[in-house]
Amino acid sequence: MIEAKNIKKEVKLDYLNWLKKEYAELGNVSDETINAHINSAKMDSQLFREFIKVLGFLIFVVPFNLYLSISGVVTFNSIYYWLIVIFSSFIGVFVALYYEQTLIKKQLKKTIRDKHSNKI
């Protein structure tokens, strides 16, 4: 269980370090304030991020897997079918993760510009 948490941490972006690297001028702003901005950006975009995940799944994973099952290229009982299904699901997850991080970064940039414009 601990290993799964560590893997999840590695995949997720550390927004606090990213902001400090992107905006060096925020060095004197407390980590609590920055974390509050990060949590706010995540909450503000939560519904849209979930929509993007579902849309990505519906556009990429479902049609691809339907094509595989209907075309008969690979049969349902074949191990190759299940490997392709898992592979396409991983691609869908990584694309969704990319767009999720991009959306949060965009929201954070907007928040930092609005609230800390005198320091940037």
Side-chain angles (χ1 to χ4, degrees):
M1 185 70 173
I2 294 172
E3 292 177 15
K5 287 182 182 178
N6 290 337
I7 290 171
K8 190 173 181 181
K9 274 187 176 180
E10 290 174 11
V11 172
K12 291 290 183 177
L13 180 65
D14 185 3
Y15 295 105
L16 180 64
N17 287 335
W18 175 78
L19 275 173
K20 286 183 175 182
K21 212 164 49 170
E22 187 77 16
Y23 297 101
E25 302 84 11
L26 294 176
N28 58 355
V29 177
S30 70
D31 287 352
E32 291 80 23
T33 303
I34 295 174
N35 279 327
H37 293 323
I38 293 168
N39 290 333
S40 174
K42 286 181 179 180
M43 290 300 142
D44 290 346
S45 62
Q46 179 71 30
L47 184 63
F48 187 65
R49 288 185 296 128
E50 293 302 321
F51 173 73
I52 293 294
K53 287 178 190 176
V54 170
L55 188 66
F57 184 79
L58 290 174
I59 288 175
F60 184 75
V61 176
V62 172
F64 184 71
N65 292 323
L66 282 175
Y67 169 75
L68 281 177
S69 62
I70 291 171
S71 69
V73 172
V74 182
T75 63
F76 182 72
N77 296 332
S78 172
I79 187 72
Y80 295 116
Y81 174 82
W82 291 107
L83 289 175
I84 292 171
V85 167
I86 290 169
F87 181 71
S88 67
S89 297
F90 277 131
I91 290 173
V93 166
F94 283 118
V95 168
L97 181 65
Y98 170 78
Y99 283 109
E100 177 181 354
Q101 290 177 353
T102 302
L103 186 64
I104 292 173
K105 283 181 181 180
K106 185 177 177 180
Q107 186 72 24
L108 283 171
K109 286 180 181 181
K110 182 179 180 280
T111 301
I112 296 300
R113 267 190 314 233
D114 293 345
K115 296 192 178 185
H116 299 283
S117 60
N118 58 343
K119 294 179 183 174
I120 297 176

